[in-house]
Amino acid sequence: MKVSIEWLNELISLEGITAEELAGKMSRTGIEVDGLENLGNVLKKVVVGHTLEVVDHPDSDHLHICQVDVGEEEPYQIVCGAPNIASDQKVIVALPNSRIKNNVKIKKGKLRGQVSQGMICSLEEIGFDENVVPKEFANGIAVLPEDAPVGTSIVDYLKLDDSILDLDVTPNRADALSVRGNAWEVAAIYGRQPEFSSEDVDTFAKQSDLAKLVSIQVDDPDMVPEYNAFLVRNVKIQPSPLVVQVRLMKSGIRPINNIVDATNYVLLEYGQPLHAFDYDKLGTGKIETRMAQAGETLQTLDGEERQLTEEDIVITDGQKPIALAGVMGGYDTEIDESTQNVLLEAAMFEPIHIRKTARRLGLRSESSMRNERGVNQATIAEAGYYAAQLMVAWSSGDLEPGFAQVSTLDHGDVKVPSSLAYINRVLGTSLTYRDIEQVFADLQFGLEGDADHFTVTVPPRRWDIHIPADLTEEVARIYGYDKIPSHLPNAQGYKIGLTERQQFDRRARQTMQALSFNQVIGYNLVSAEALNVLQLEERAAVELDFPMSEDHRYMRTNLLTTDLDITRYNVARNIKNVAIYESGRISYWEDGQPVEENHLAAVWTGNRIDQSWQSQDQAVDFFAMKGIVEALLASMNLACSIRYQAAHDIADTHPGRTARILADLGEEETVLGFIGQLHPQTADSYDLVQATYVFELSLDRLFDLPKQTIVQESIPKFPGIKRDIALLVDESVSHAEIQACIQEAGNKYLRDIQVFDLYTGDKIEAGKKSLAYQLSYLNPEATLQDDEVTANVDAIIQALSQELGAQVR
C-alpha cells in the first residue's frame, strides 16, 4: 500500500511531523514502512510549457522542432520525437541544466543540426512508473490541462514534493489498506483527531427506492453478506481531474477515466472495493449473485475467457455471469466511451472464496486483496455513495435518489472483555489502569469497567480485534514495544545431556565436517518450479496461504533444491571448489496431514585435489562422493548391510552415474536416499560448469535402522594372512555383488575385502572386465594356518564361479 503524505495530511494534521519520523513511528507500532519515495526531490528546473509551433525536422522522419513558451521573454527551441507532440499544448519541459528522473542532467545541445534547449518530458521521465501512466500518454509526452500556468514548477503544479509511504501491511491489518485507516493509525500514535466527514447515506437511502430500476437478488447471504447498488445517469466519459490522476499514480494505480477512477479513488481512501457496470448493457436491470455453475465461462475485462467452477462467486444479470465477484468485472458490461448510465456496486463477499478464485485464475489485484482480507462493514454503503457523488462531480451526471440494498450484516461495535492483570501477565509489564485508559483513548475505542475487569468497545473499522489477546497487542504497540522491559526466564538448569537422537544428528554433522564439507542452511520456502528438482519420491508439497512472494509459496520437499542455489551463488563468485552439506527438515502431505522429515544432503563440485608440485588436479567423481557416503554411514554403527542400486529414473541426475541407497533388513529393503551426478542439462541451468555430485539421505530412516554395539578389542597378537585373487566377470556384474558373494562364502576369519585393480582393454574379451581383490584373514586367538586360508579361498572362488560366472585369472 502506497500512501501519499499530502493526501494523508488532508484527513489528519501532520503539522510538525516529518515523513521520516512518521515512517519510524508507524514501523514501531506494527505497520512496517518498507521505504519512502519523493518524486519531487530529484526534479530541478522542470516547468510547465506551452508549444507555440511544431514543425517537422528537415533531416528526420520522426523528430519535430518545437517553439515552446516557458514563461521567459523568448520561447525555447526544443527538438522532440514524441508521436503525440502538437502545437498549442501544455507540456512538461526540462530546461537546460535541469535534473529529471535518476538525477539525469539535461543540457543544451543539437539534434541533427538543430539546436535543442532542453527536453519535453513524458511522465516516466519525471519519475512515474510506466505501469501507472495513462495509456494515452504511454508512448509519448504528457499533455497537461489547458489551464496549466506556463512557467510554473512542475513539482508545485503536480504536487510532487510529496513523500510516499510504501507500507508492508500484514494480512490481519487490512484496515491499513486505506488512507482513512492510516489516518486513524496516525491519530492513535500522536493523539490527534482525524478530520474527515462521513457521508449521510441513511438520509440519502430514504429519498427513494431503486427497486423499479435495479433488482438485487442474493442467493446465499453467507457468500454475499451485503450488496448495495447506486445508479448514476447521463455521465460523460472523460479523464478525471488532474489532481485525482496524480494521486492515483502516486498510489500505484493507472488512471483510466472519470468513472473507473472514482471507484479506485474510493478504494484507496476507504479501502472498499467497488465496481461500475454499464447499466444499459445489463439489459434486464437485474443483479443476481450466486455460485457459478460447472461449465460456465466469463470473458473478463482483460479480454481473457475464464473457465468458472462451482467455487466461484459470480454477479449475473439474472441469467449469465457478468462479473467475477470481488475479483474482476466482465467485458460485456465494461465502462467505455459510449457509456451513459452507470450502475455502481458496493458489496462485501466471503473472503476465502475470493482468495481461491483470484489465486486459481492469477487475478490478484488491489480489489481482490482487500476483498480477501476484509472490509469495514460499517462503511460499505457510505463508500459507494461517496463514489457515486464523485462520478456526478467528475462527469456532470445525475445521481438517482436512493439505492438498492440487500444486507445481513450487523454494523455495530464489538465488545471485548479483558483485565489489567491479564495484559500485564502476557506483556511482562507493570502498567497501571491509567496507562490502559490512555492507550484506548488514543485508539478512540470505548472503555468501561475497572482494572479487575473492563470491556473495550471496538468500532467496525478495526475488524481484526475480537479476543483479549487482540487488545493486549494493541496495548503493546501503542504503549511502545521499546518500553516493554526485557526479562530473562526464571528457570532452573539441569544437566540432562543429549538425547540419543541429538547425539545421532550431531555425529552426522561432525562426520561431514571432518570430511571437509562446509555446513549451509538453505531457505525453507521455494517456488513451484523448484519443487520438481531432484525428487527421489513423489510428494505433495505444503503450500502457504499467504506467501511473501510466488518464489516462496511452497515448503521444500528436499534439501538439494536450495543447496544447488547456494552452490550456484558460490560458483558465480569464482569459488571453484564447493563442498557443502545441510542437515535440515523437509515437509510434505501424507494421509491428509503435513509431515516433517529430517534429511542430510550434500553437493560437491570442482576438484577434490588441486594441482601442486606433487600432484595434478583430480576432479570430483562418483566414487569420491560414494566414499563420503560410506564414511558417513560407517560412523552410524549400522547393524545392517547397505547396498547401492543403479537408478535411471531419478529426475535431474545422470542416468549412468546415479544409485539409490538401500538398507538390507532381510525380508525387505528401506530406501534411505540416493547418490549421483547432476545431469549436464540440470547443471547447466544452475550455471555449474564442472561435474557436480549430490546425495540426500533421510536421517529419520537411518536413525530407525538397527544399530550394533561397538566393543573395544585388544590389539591382535598373532599375524594375519592376505591373499589376492583376480577375476574375469561380465561387465554387468557389480562390485557390490562380488563383495556380497565373497562375504557370504568367507569364513569367520575373513576380516576385510578390498578391490585394488580394474581392467578392461585389448587383452580382455568384449563384454568382460578384470577385477583384483585382496582378502585379509586374521585369527585373534591363534596363528592362522596356510591350509585354512587356502581352503576358504578355494570355497570363495567356487562360489564366485557358480553364482556370478567368474573365472579366476
Side-chain angles (χ1 to χ4, degrees):
M1 173 72 184
K2 292 186 175 182
V3 178
S4 160
I5 293 290
E6 177 256 336
W7 193 353
L8 188 62
N9 190 51
E10 284 190 1
L11 304 183
I12 184 169
S13 174
L14 299 179
E15 184 180 356
I17 304 173
T18 64
E20 291 75 14
E21 178 192 344
L22 178 60
K25 286 270 192 178
M26 293 185 72
S27 292
R28 288 194 295 274
T29 55
I31 300 179
E32 184 177 354
V33 179
D34 278 347
L36 274 173
E37 180 183 13
N38 190 313
L39 301 181
N41 278 346
V42 177
L43 303 180
K44 301 289 187 265
K45 298 181 69 176
V46 182
V47 301
V48 176
H50 179 207
T51 56
L52 303 175
E53 180 183 38
V54 176
V55 297
D56 293 340
H57 193 295
D59 297 324
S60 172
D61 59 354
H62 71 283
L63 294 178
H64 308 279
I65 302 174
C66 311
Q67 303 301 321
V68 185
D69 179 10
V70 293
E72 300 185 10
E73 292 183 0
E74 297 293 332
Y76 280 31
Q77 177 172 295
I78 300 175
V79 179
C80 178
N84 63 331
I85 187 70
S87 60
D88 197 25
Q89 288 179 331
K90 295 295 179 66
V91 294
I92 302 171
V93 179
L95 301 176
N97 300 316
S98 61
R99 298 279 180 174
I100 60 172
K101 181 181 179 181
N102 297 327
N103 206 30
V104 174
K105 185 175 183 179
I106 303 301
K107 299 179 180 179
K108 178 180 178 180
K110 285 188 176 182
L111 285 176
R112 299 201 179 179
Q114 297 293 325
V115 174
S116 183
Q117 299 172 287
M119 183 173 75
I120 300 177
C121 301
S122 66
L123 289 172
E124 293 98 314
E125 287 163 338
I126 63 170
F128 289 104
D129 290 337
E130 181 182 358
N131 60 346
V132 303
V133 173
K135 290 184 178 180
E136 60 265 31
F137 304 144
N139 297 314
I141 60 165
V143 180
L144 303 176
E146 295 180 0
D147 59 356
V150 174
T152 301
S153 167
I154 201 67
V155 173
D156 297 334
Y157 181 64
L158 296 182
K159 297 183 178 180
L160 298 182
D161 189 14
D162 175 23
S163 295
I164 308 297
L165 298 169
D166 189 358
L167 306 182
D168 185 7
V169 180
T170 54
N172 66 309
R173 287 301 308 275
D175 62 290
L177 292 174
S178 67
V179 183
R180 290 195 174 205
N182 283 285
W184 283 112
E185 185 71 10
V186 173
I189 295 172
Y190 289 98
R192 300 187 180 186
Q193 180 65 39
E195 299 173 354
F196 46 82
S197 60
S198 298
E199 303 298 327
D200 189 3
V201 68
D202 292 334
T203 301
F204 176 73
K206 296 175 183 178
Q207 293 182 10
S208 180
D209 185 1
L210 287 184
K212 295 180 180 180
L213 300 173
V214 180
S215 172
I216 299 177
Q217 178 180 333
V218 175
D219 286 3
D220 187 350
D222 290 335
M223 295 297 102
V224 186
E226 180 167 317
Y227 196 98
N228 302 286
F230 299 81
L231 184 58
V232 183
R233 291 188 179 276
N234 306 318
V235 301
K236 180 182 178 182
I237 305 300
Q238 59 191 10
S240 52
L242 182 64
V243 64
V244 173
Q245 295 188 52
V246 172
R247 280 188 174 178
L248 292 177
M249 289 190 290
K250 288 179 184 177
S251 302
I253 294 180
R254 185 198 300 273
I256 306 297
N257 56 52
N258 49 354
I259 300 303
V260 177
D261 291 354
T263 64
N264 287 329
Y265 191 87
V266 175
L267 168 84
L268 293 172
E269 181 168 335
Y270 276 80
Q272 173 62 49
L274 306 169
H275 184 68
F277 298 94
D278 188 320
Y279 177 73
D280 298 318
K281 294 177 182 178
L282 288 176
T284 62
K286 181 178 182 180
I287 293 290
E288 179 185 359
T289 69
R290 60 172 172 81
M291 306 306 296
Q293 299 170 2
E296 280 189 314
T297 61
L298 171 67
Q299 187 179 12
T300 47
L301 286 172
D302 56 5
E304 294 290 330
E305 192 76 18
R306 307 290 180 178
Q307 191 70 37
L308 306 180
T309 72
E310 295 177 350
E311 293 295 310
D312 300 327
I313 308 173
V314 293
I315 311 299
T316 77
D317 60 1
Q319 298 176 345
K320 66 180 186 301
I322 58 173
L324 267 173
V327 178
M328 184 175 282
Y331 183 80
D332 291 342
T333 56
E334 178 185 18
I335 302 296
D336 56 30
E337 293 181 357
S338 64
T339 299
Q340 295 182 347
N341 302 305
V342 176
L343 179 69
L344 177 62
E345 164 194 286
M348 177 179 176
F349 304 104
E350 198 277 325
I352 295 177
H353 282 73
I354 301 301
R355 181 171 65 249
K356 288 181 177 178
T357 298
R359 181 179 300 173
R360 177 174 59 83
L361 298 177
L363 293 176
R364 305 300 294 274
S365 65
E366 296 286 343
S367 291
S368 67
M369 177 175 64
R370 287 166 174 80
N371 279 311
E372 290 175 17
R373 300 185 182 186
V375 298
N376 184 352
Q377 299 180 12
T379 59
I380 299 173
E382 179 184 325
Y385 180 38
Y386 179 48
Q389 291 177 309
L390 294 180
M391 291 179 185
V392 170
W394 298 346
S395 70
S396 302
D398 303 309
L399 179 59
E400 284 285 344
F403 63 96
Q405 182 184 69
V406 175
S407 179
T408 59
L409 293 177
D410 178 7
H411 297 158
D413 299 334
V414 174
K415 294 185 180 296
V416 183
S418 189
S419 68
L420 179 62
Y422 171 80
I423 291 176
N424 279 329
R425 185 175 72 252
V426 172
L427 298 182
T429 54
S430 301
L431 300 177
T432 66
Y433 188 64
R434 182 180 293 275
D435 295 327
I436 301 298
E437 287 179 317
Q438 184 60 52
V439 167
F440 291 118
D442 291 340
L443 287 165
Q444 301 191 39
F445 293 176
L447 178 66
E448 298 176 347
D450 53 33
D452 294 333
H453 182 275
F454 58 80
T455 300
V456 177
T457 302
V458 182
R461 60 182 168 82
R462 287 300 306 276
W463 61 92
D464 58 308
I465 301 176
H466 300 283
I467 59 177
D470 297 332
L471 295 179
T472 304
E473 182 180 2
E474 293 301 299
V475 171
R477 69 185 194 85
I478 300 301
Y479 175 74
Y481 290 118
D482 53 337
K483 297 180 183 178
I484 298 176
S486 300
H487 298 285
L488 291 175
N490 184 17
Q492 180 67 40
Y494 296 95
K495 186 178 180 180
I496 59 175
L498 299 177
T499 65
E500 184 180 357
R501 179 55 193 264
Q502 289 171 332
Q503 291 176 343
F504 176 84
D505 291 340
R506 177 175 291 186
R507 185 164 61 249
R509 293 193 298 270
Q510 290 175 340
T511 301
M512 291 302 296
Q513 291 163 8
L515 293 168
S516 300
F517 277 69
N518 295 306
Q519 186 178 14
V520 298
I521 299 176
Y523 200 55
N524 201 35
L525 300 175
V526 298
S527 64
E529 293 77 15
L531 285 175
N532 301 318
V533 177
L534 290 170
Q535 287 286 16
L536 176 62
E537 302 172 13
E538 187 173 344
R539 294 187 172 107
V542 177
E543 181 179 3
L544 302 189
D545 285 337
F546 298 103
M548 65 182 77
S549 71
E550 289 301 318
D551 290 336
H552 302 96
R553 178 173 289 279
Y554 298 92
M555 301 186 73
R556 59 181 174 173
T557 53
N558 66 52
L559 301 183
L560 289 172
T561 297
T562 47
D563 291 346
L564 285 175
D565 288 328
I566 295 172
T567 305
R568 171 169 54 187
Y569 181 89
N570 283 273
V571 170
R573 281 149 184 80
N574 212 24
I575 299 176
K576 181 180 178 182
N577 305 324
V578 178
I580 60 173
Y581 84 94
E582 180 178 7
S583 176
R585 294 180 179 179
I586 66 168
S587 306
Y588 56 92
W589 287 100
E590 186 175 74
D591 298 329
Q593 296 291 329
V595 175
E596 286 190 328
E597 188 174 314
N598 291 284
H599 276 213
L600 188 146
V603 182
W604 198 2
T605 187
N607 294 331
R608 60 190 181 94
I609 298 177
D610 280 329
Q611 182 179 2
S612 69
W613 66 275
Q614 291 180 311
S615 61
Q616 298 296 317
D617 282 343
Q618 294 186 31
V620 178
D621 57 21
F622 177 86
F623 298 103
M625 191 59 134
K626 182 169 178 282
I628 298 297
V629 175
E630 290 176 339
L632 175 64
L633 296 177
S635 71
M636 297 177 178
N637 304 326
L638 302 177
C640 59
S641 60
I642 302 294
R643 76 180 187 91
Y644 300 82
Q645 181 187 69
H648 307 281
D649 58 345
I650 301 177
D652 302 308
T653 61
H654 194 300
R657 299 174 186 172
T658 303
R660 284 182 172 82
I661 305 172
L662 307 173
D664 188 355
L665 300 177
E667 296 181 356
E668 61 179 12
E669 289 183 321
T670 297
V671 178
L672 302 176
F674 75 97
I675 176 176
Q677 180 183 347
L678 207 61
H679 194 285
Q681 292 181 348
T682 305
D684 184 63
S685 68
Y686 282 90
D687 301 322
L688 303 177
V689 178
Q690 294 181 281
T692 302
Y693 292 85
V694 300
F695 76 79
E696 183 157 348
L697 296 168
S698 170
L699 290 179
D700 289 347
R701 297 179 190 180
L702 278 169
F703 181 75
D704 292 337
L705 294 177
K707 308 295 189 301
Q708 59 181 340
T709 302
I710 304 301
V711 179
Q712 183 176 354
E713 297 179 346
S714 60
I715 299 174
K717 299 178 182 180
F718 303 97
I721 296 177
K722 295 182 178 180
R723 291 291 178 86
D724 296 341
I725 58 174
L727 309 172
L728 189 66
V729 296
D730 293 336
E731 285 188 343
S732 61
V733 177
S734 68
H735 162 70
E737 292 175 312
I738 296 174
Q739 189 177 37
C741 185
I742 294 174
Q743 193 73 48
E744 186 176 352
N747 61 22
K748 63 180 179 179
Y749 302 128
L750 179 61
R751 291 299 182 92
D752 191 29
I753 305 167
Q754 292 290 337
V755 59
F756 65 87
D757 186 50
L758 167 64
Y759 177 76
T760 57
D762 297 337
K763 297 182 180 180
I764 302 295
E765 63 180 285
K768 298 286 186 178
K769 61 183 176 182
S770 174
L771 289 162
Y773 288 84
Q774 183 177 81
L775 310 181
S776 299
Y777 290 84
L778 177 68
N779 183 351
E781 297 178 354
T783 301
L784 273 174
Q785 299 299 314
D786 191 67
D787 292 344
E788 293 179 86
V789 175
T790 300
N792 187 246
V793 172
D794 291 341
I796 290 172
I797 292 172
Q798 184 178 1
L800 290 168
S801 176
Q802 291 177 351
E803 296 183 19
L804 303 177
Q807 302 174 32
V808 178
R809 299 184 67 201

